[in-house]
Amino acid sequence: MKPDQINKYYFDDVNEIPGKIDRRDFIKNLGGGIIIVFSLSQLGFLTGCKTSNGNESSDFNAFLRVKEDGRVDCYSGKIEMGQGINTSLAQVLADELEVELDKVNMIMGDTALVPHDNGTWGSMTTRFHDPLIRAAAAEAREVLKLLASEKLEIPVNQLVAKEGIIFDKSDSDKKVTYAELSKGKKIVQTISEKPKLKQPGEFNIVGKSYNRMDGVQKVTGKALYSADIQLPGMLYAKILRPPAHDSKLLSVDISAAEAVNGVQIKREDDFIVVLHEHPEIAEKAVQAIKAEWEVPASKADNETIFEHILKTATEGNVRHEGGNIENGKKESELLFEHEYHDGYKAHASMEPHAATAILENGKLTMWASTQTPFGTRREVSELLDMPLEKVHVKQIFLGGGFGGKIYNQQANEVARIAKMVEGTPVQLMWSRQEEFMYDRFKPAAVVKINSGISKDGTIKFFDFNTYCAGARGTELFYGVPNHKTTTLDKNGVHPFFTGAWRAPGNPTNTFARESQIDIMAHSIGMDPLEFRLKNMSDNRAVRSLKLAAEKFGWKDWKPEKGKGRGIAVGTDAGTLVTIIVEVRVNSDSGEVKVVRAVVGQDMGQVINPQGTAIQAEGCVNMGLGYTLSEDVEFDWGEVKTNSFGNYDLPLFSTIPEIIESHSVDAVDEPPQGGGEPAIISVGGAVANAVFDACGARVFRMPITRERVLAALKKG
Amino acid sequence: MPINVKFELNGKQVEVQTEKDQTLLWVLRTQLSLTGTKYGCGEGLCGSCTVLMNDQAVRSCGIFMEDVAGSRVITIEGLAKDDQLHPVQQAFVENDALQCGYCTPGMIMNAVDLLNNNPEPTRQEIIEGMEDNLCRCGAHTRIIKAIESASKAMKGEPQP
Ligand code: FES
Ligand code: FES
């Protein structure tokens, strides 16, 4: 078993694709069958489907192909990183096209095979990509029916399609299969303006639970991630890293590294790379380099960062406003002013950033753990000054993303290295320490809220100021006559990169708002559920809250010493989500254990209920990390968190014993996002439950034991 | 000085030439082309690299090749017998006990060891046995279920 005998290239038909991609070439290479082509400019009838860069999409827009054996290939620019869209998209397609689910083959994220896509993030796949695939599938079904009509000499409206067979409504013996219809043909059809889509009630596969389609590949070790690609003669790269961000290299001595047998060292200014056929030897060699760095002076650390943010994030932007805050103050009988803090959080995907690449014959081929294969292609082509079509980013599984894999630093690095050793394949996988260092953390943030109520529990005003957390999730679903939402930020506030972390900024904003709501409810002794319902103006928020409260059994819940319950409601990616948790708090140690979490979501039509439940469970489990234990430690550009030894992810013992996921029945409504929303309400729900359990109001996440104890002391 | 290491890998004798302080994880992934065993931290803290060595779950990122000589190693690729998934693999598939799948090989290898030593674990024993395997996707809830159902499927009989 030598590397050159296996895994030569991941998807073999990719090699047949010519360098310049246009529709004719693409289709020529595609083989027979029925191909449904989209022109992106046609997609006006589907919202959200436009590409940001028309040039990149060229004319290359095939979406699906019914092959001559009756199987269906679906080409999508999205990537699979665990969220299960390779299953849910296939469901949508199979249902609309009337084929069995296991006939569908998803080809995803390969820049030479699939239409341009801006990336897989923002819980947009189900909202904006499903409609495309449905339209293409519906079109294919109609084409097949026309062909069947000719062949069987039966009018189209007499025909029914089911499980890949078209038959006469009144005589099911008169039939023809998709395979028979596609055989020996090559029909290329452009989608019509308004394809005939199924109506609610007509779905057979959508709305049902299916296991993941990639399960067997993943339990047998066959699923390939970008560092699993092995190419003959490949070298493993390690890069010399500074001790802190923005450090300057003063001097370097590479002699000890050079002395290592078989090592190659390449250098472009501060970019010093060690290559070896064994990754561990490359690692040792890079460690042997003696470098002196100038580290910039510290302006803040993980304790003083909030002060620093308040001082420096001064560029304000009013996002929503209604009524008049001053009037609201006058109308209020009780006033509340609080400040909430949340630290930096790492994405900490189990798969570190990795990429494998080779530059040969003027063409760069790359496998990269990226949520944005087309973005990677563009960046790399600019970096190496190569035409777009000479860069090929291939399909791959991702070992988690969560918004962390949209920046592609590792792909750019590997491209640079591939050029340094042109003709030789190279692989770069960040160590866990590099992963922490170069992660684009969820930014630390401060939220200041001023609010007021009348004694009967009516919110009179709500003045929400969020520093560095952005506007996501701040749409107010409480009916407040006087309200204002301001985001404040400024370039250069943070000592290092920050970026999109699963539902960017929203967990912080939701934690702050829902804590404040709870504080107001408790101040007048009102049940926090009742208080929310009294003030809520948005119907879908009410539906999600009522659903969660009912499933939780809010009414009949019995208090007990050390036990508490808490609610948080939030909105993200078109979905309204309520989480209610039950916690146990040990008042001596400050330890918080979440025992049960109930998720109630209003997310429109649900494609795969099991997939939705899994995303909700994942959100709750992952969300407990930012809520209770995760915090990046640093002294300005020096990221001190460098291992799982000092960054506490949720564990089997810390996740709730019970997680229930429920969705509002809304088959008539468009499907909404599901990969991120449920994570936003975890922090607020736990904070409120901790207060309910022991009277400790913690204003800073993570809600550590020390903070619980300190809050208890304060009383 | 390179050394030659002979050992049994997924039922077959293999021999590799390595430096003696190279780790089993990377030798598996590179020289032996078995990339199902994953790197997650390289310091024994995540469990992604778990394999069975002489029937014990070990973290291959901390096993040096000189200590592998003469041993019996099973990786995720060697768990299924003649295309028949191991009951733990089967249970992971049926329970959708994975998302991105990156932690999955390590989870499965660790669970196999757990069930071999304790064929009918309680929920608490599963939690304790799996505690040091990390999963970022939050698949824990279904991993516990999968191990429970694998235990039932194996009817308390350990499987190699
Ligand atoms: S890679 Fe071995 S324990 Fe993390
Ligand atoms: S399934 Fe993604 S890390 Fe566990």
Side-chain angles (χ1 to χ4, degrees):
Chain A
M1 276 185 295
K2 287 226 198 75
D4 54 351
Q5 287 165 343
I6 64 145
N7 290 352
K8 270 231 171 123
Y9 285 102
Y10 190 17
F11 282 96
D12 36 21
D13 51 331
V14 173
N15 289 324
E16 298 160 15
I17 297 292
K20 179 162 164 31
I21 305 153
D22 72 22
R23 185 192 296 183
R24 245 169 315 154
D25 280 341
F26 174 73
I27 289 166
K28 201 164 73 205
N29 278 278
L30 209 49
I34 293 161
I35 297 157
I36 304 298
V37 183
F38 263 69
S39 152
L40 288 171
S41 57
Q42 274 184 295
L43 298 181
F45 68 98
L46 300 166
T47 48
C49 298
K50 287 186 208 92
T51 77
S52 68
N53 184 343
N55 305 336
E56 274 188 49
S57 59
S58 71
D59 193 21
F60 170 50
N61 297 314
F63 267 79
L64 67 85
R65 173 164 73 120
V66 183
K67 296 195 289 189
E68 292 177 81
D69 58 2
R71 295 187 59 83
V72 185
D73 282 347
C74 177
Y75 299 87
S76 163
K78 298 296 174 190
I79 55 92
E80 173 59 43
M81 53 186 163
Q83 78 284 42
I85 58 168
N86 58 354
T87 307
S88 63
L89 290 174
Q91 275 181 266
V92 167
L93 186 157
D95 202 326
E96 203 71 49
L97 183 53
E98 299 289 359
V99 293
E100 293 114 305
L101 186 57
D102 59 8
K103 291 266 161 65
V104 181
N105 180 26
M106 297 297 299
I107 295 163
M108 303 177 81
D110 189 308
T111 59
L113 283 181
V114 304
H116 179 266
D117 184 272
N118 285 337
T120 309
W121 40 269
S123 290
M124 294 199 288
T125 303
T126 301
R127 287 183 288 163
F128 304 132
H129 206 60
D130 272 27
L132 286 178
I133 288 189
R134 284 188 63 189
E139 191 70 33
R141 186 192 61 221
E142 294 311 310
V143 171
L144 285 157
K145 276 191 176 170
L146 278 177
L147 292 172
S149 162
E150 270 169 39
K151 181 148 191 163
L152 300 171
E153 297 180 351
I154 297 169
V156 173
N157 55 14
Q158 270 286 107
L159 294 174
V160 183
K162 209 171 175 200
E163 296 184 347
I165 300 168
I166 296 178
F167 54 89
D168 187 339
K169 245 192 250 174
S170 46
D171 179 0
S172 60
D173 283 344
K174 291 188 186 147
K175 61 179 182 197
V176 57
T177 65
Y178 287 6
E180 287 162 336
L181 291 169
S182 313
K183 189 133 221 128
K185 296 218 178 61
K186 183 141 183 177
I187 296 176
V188 180
Q189 174 94 6
T190 307
I191 198 157
S192 54
E193 271 303 308
K194 277 209 181 343
K196 205 171 142 239
L197 299 179
K198 281 191 175 181
Q199 296 305 307
E202 294 177 345
F203 294 109
N204 304 312
I205 298 174
V206 165
K208 292 209 183 98
S209 287
Y210 289 90
N211 282 342
R212 309 181 57 87
M213 293 179 67
D214 52 19
V216 172
Q217 275 168 288
K218 287 178 174 174
V219 301
T220 50
K222 289 192 182 121
L224 293 179
Y225 302 80
S226 53
D228 295 340
I229 302 301
Q230 296 193 302
L231 302 171
M234 190 165 78
L235 295 178
Y236 295 83
K238 282 283 157 190
I239 300 168
L240 178 71
R241 302 296 190 185
H245 287 277
D246 298 322
S247 303
K248 224 172 75 204
L249 185 59
L250 298 177
S251 72
V252 64
D253 171 5
I254 60 168
S255 53
E258 273 177 321
V260 176
N261 203 1
V263 92
Q264 281 191 50
I265 300 180
K266 301 280 172 189
R267 176 165 186 185
E268 268 172 20
D269 308 320
D270 287 6
F271 188 63
I272 299 176
V273 184
V274 176
L275 295 130
H276 197 276
E277 60 172 317
H278 296 299
E280 289 174 291
I281 298 179
E283 173 74 45
K284 270 189 204 132
V286 86
Q287 302 285 354
I289 294 176
K290 290 192 198 77
E292 232 189 302
W293 301 88
E294 187 184 290
V295 175
S298 174
K299 293 190 222 166
D301 61 24
N302 43 295
E303 287 306 315
T304 57
I305 189 70
F306 305 106
E307 224 176 287
H308 169 79
I309 284 174
L310 286 172
K311 260 199 323 238
T312 48
T314 48
E315 285 171 7
N317 219 324
V318 176
R319 299 302 185 111
H320 332 276
E321 199 173 9
N324 179 301
I325 296 294
E326 289 314 311
N327 290 349
K329 278 187 189 163
K330 283 186 213 127
E331 289 165 25
S332 300
E333 290 168 291
L334 294 160
L335 296 175
F336 305 85
E337 185 175 352
H338 294 290
E339 194 175 303
Y340 302 87
H341 295 173
D342 193 4
Y344 295 93
K345 318 283 170 172
H347 294 85
S349 292
M350 292 310 295
E351 177 204 29
H353 283 71
T356 304
I358 176 163
L359 177 63
E360 62 184 346
N361 307 326
K363 192 175 168 211
L364 184 87
T365 308
M366 180 186 286
W367 296 255
S369 46
T370 171
Q371 292 176 241
T372 58
F374 286 89
T376 301
R377 182 178 68 159
R378 191 192 57 242
E379 288 168 26
V380 165
S381 84
E382 282 164 12
L383 179 76
L384 299 188
D385 199 13
M386 288 168 71
L388 263 186
E389 63 270 16
K390 294 286 183 199
V391 179
H392 179 185
V393 181
K394 298 236 204 184
Q395 175 177 8
I396 211 77
F397 281 112
L398 260 73
F402 317 110
K405 289 179 178 159
I406 61 181
Y407 305 102
N408 309 319
Q409 182 183 332
Q410 98 286 15
N412 284 289
E413 288 172 345
V414 99
R416 255 177 112 173
I417 300 168
K419 185 158 186 182
M420 290 167 155
V421 293
E422 202 167 331
T424 304
V426 287
Q427 183 171 102
L428 173 70
M429 181 184 237
W430 285 357
S431 67
R432 182 53 57 186
Q433 180 172 4
E434 289 173 291
E435 188 68 21
F436 277 113
M437 172 99 177
Y438 292 105
D439 191 356
R440 306 230 171 177
F441 299 125
K442 179 186 104 49
V446 176
V447 181
K448 278 179 154 184
I449 310 177
N450 277 299
S451 64
I453 57 174
S454 58
K455 282 192 182 134
D456 71 347
T458 308
I459 307 175
K460 293 294 180 185
F461 84 99
F462 205 78
D463 185 6
F464 187 93
N465 300 279
T466 176
Y467 297 74
C468 299
R472 197 151 158 183
T474 60
E475 301 85 359
L476 206 55
F477 40 79
Y478 298 101
V480 182
N482 308 294
H483 64 91
K484 188 169 167 193
T485 298
T486 312
T487 54
L488 297 105
D489 217 326
K490 197 170 185 176
N491 273 342
V493 173
H494 304 288
F496 30 61
F497 305 122
T498 61
W501 193 101
R502 207 168 188 176
N506 202 336
T508 311
N509 287 330
T510 299
F511 159 71
R513 182 192 56 245
E514 293 301 300
S515 295
Q516 186 90 356
I517 295 283
D518 234 57
I519 291 169
M520 296 194 292
H522 285 296
S523 75
I524 52 166
M526 194 184 262
D527 177 287
L529 172 65
E530 197 187 316
F531 183 87
R532 284 183 171 82
L533 287 172
K534 182 181 169 74
N535 286 288
M536 248 177 208
S537 54
D538 180 283
N539 252 337
R540 295 179 63 222
V542 172
R543 284 201 300 200
S544 109
L545 175 57
K546 282 191 171 161
L547 175 68
E550 182 208 316
K551 299 291 183 185
F552 181 84
W554 185 268
K555 258 206 309 237
D556 306 320
W557 191 83
K558 299 269 175 312
E560 232 177 73
K561 194 172 165 346
K563 199 171 98 170
R565 58 179 176 171
I567 303 176
V569 189
T571 174
D572 189 73
T575 291
L576 271 296
V577 52
T578 300
I579 294 188
I580 306 184
V581 296
E582 179 176 311
V583 303
R584 292 193 178 271
V585 181
N586 180 328
S587 311
D588 298 326
S589 68
E591 191 192 355
V592 176
K593 167 82 187 154
V594 177
V595 287
R596 186 170 161 234
V598 175
V599 183
Q601 300 194 79
D602 187 323
M603 56 196 317
Q605 183 189 26
V606 173
I607 308 292
N608 181 350
Q610 178 166 306
T612 300
I614 289 171
Q615 284 304 304
E617 287 162 17
C619 281
V620 169
N621 291 338
M622 182 176 177
L624 286 178
Y626 80 73
T627 302
L628 294 175
S629 58
E630 291 174 31
D631 208 0
V632 175
E633 278 180 39
F634 61 95
D635 186 6
W636 201 241
E638 186 194 346
V639 181
K640 295 192 163 171
T641 294
N642 59 4
S643 116
F644 288 132
N646 48 26
Y647 192 75
D648 294 333
L649 297 189
L651 302 169
F652 279 91
S653 65
T654 61
I655 60 148
E657 186 164 344
I658 302 167
I659 303 174
E660 291 172 37
S661 157
H662 304 279
S663 316
V664 170
D665 184 19
V667 280
D668 300 352
E669 290 165 36
Q672 304 292 343
E676 298 173 303
I679 204 162
I680 64 176
S681 300
V682 179
V686 172
N688 292 338
V690 167
F691 177 80
D692 187 50
C694 67
R697 176 60 65 185
V698 181
F699 291 93
R700 175 172 167 191
M701 294 198 292
I703 303 169
T704 57
R705 296 171 189 217
E706 296 73 34
R707 288 179 194 140
V708 171
L709 291 179
L712 272 176
K713 238 197 203 146
K714 242 171 108 190
Chain B
M1 264 300 282
I3 51 168
N4 273 347
V5 180
K6 283 192 204 164
F7 64 106
E8 188 190 310
L9 176 60
N10 296 332
K12 290 196 192 93
Q13 284 298 323
V14 293
E15 182 170 353
V16 282
Q17 198 187 56
T18 74
E19 298 298 323
K20 63 176 184 232
D21 58 352
Q22 272 185 267
T23 62
L24 177 57
L25 168 65
W26 286 106
V27 171
L28 284 171
R29 289 184 53 81
T30 59
Q31 281 162 274
L32 295 161
S33 294
L34 294 178
T35 54
T37 305
K38 302 297 187 211
Y39 168 91
C41 69
E43 45 187 357
L45 295 170
C46 75
S48 306
C49 65
T50 306
V51 300
L52 297 181
M53 189 166 146
N54 300 329
D55 298 328
Q56 296 285 313
V58 296
R59 303 204 154 181
S60 61
C61 68
I63 304 278
F64 295 111
M65 283 314 288
E66 59 179 338
D67 300 323
V68 176
S71 69
R72 197 157 23 89
V73 173
I74 299 176
T75 69
I76 191 72
E77 292 91 345
L79 210 51
K81 293 268 173 294
D82 308 322
D83 280 346
Q84 184 72 38
L85 294 183
H86 184 283
V88 175
Q89 290 174 309
Q90 188 65 34
F92 268 63
V93 172
E94 281 167 10
N95 287 277
D96 254 359
L98 53 110
Q99 293 185 31
C100 78
Y102 197 82
C103 70
T104 309
M107 289 284 179
I108 289 176
M109 298 316 281
N110 202 63
V112 168
D113 181 46
L114 171 77
L115 291 175
N116 284 347
N117 289 312
N118 180 4
E120 290 173 281
T122 61
R123 186 188 157 87
Q124 192 51 37
E125 285 167 341
I126 294 175
I127 290 172
E128 282 160 19
M130 300 301 292
E131 181 70 349
D132 297 331
N133 279 59
L134 302 179
C135 171
R136 187 45 156 173
C137 299
H140 309 76
T141 312
R142 279 169 203 255
I143 293 173
I144 296 172
K145 274 194 207 138
I147 297 173
E148 285 168 344
S149 67
S151 159
K152 285 206 193 91
M154 289 158 75
K155 297 203 190 57
E157 297 288 316
Q159 308 238 345

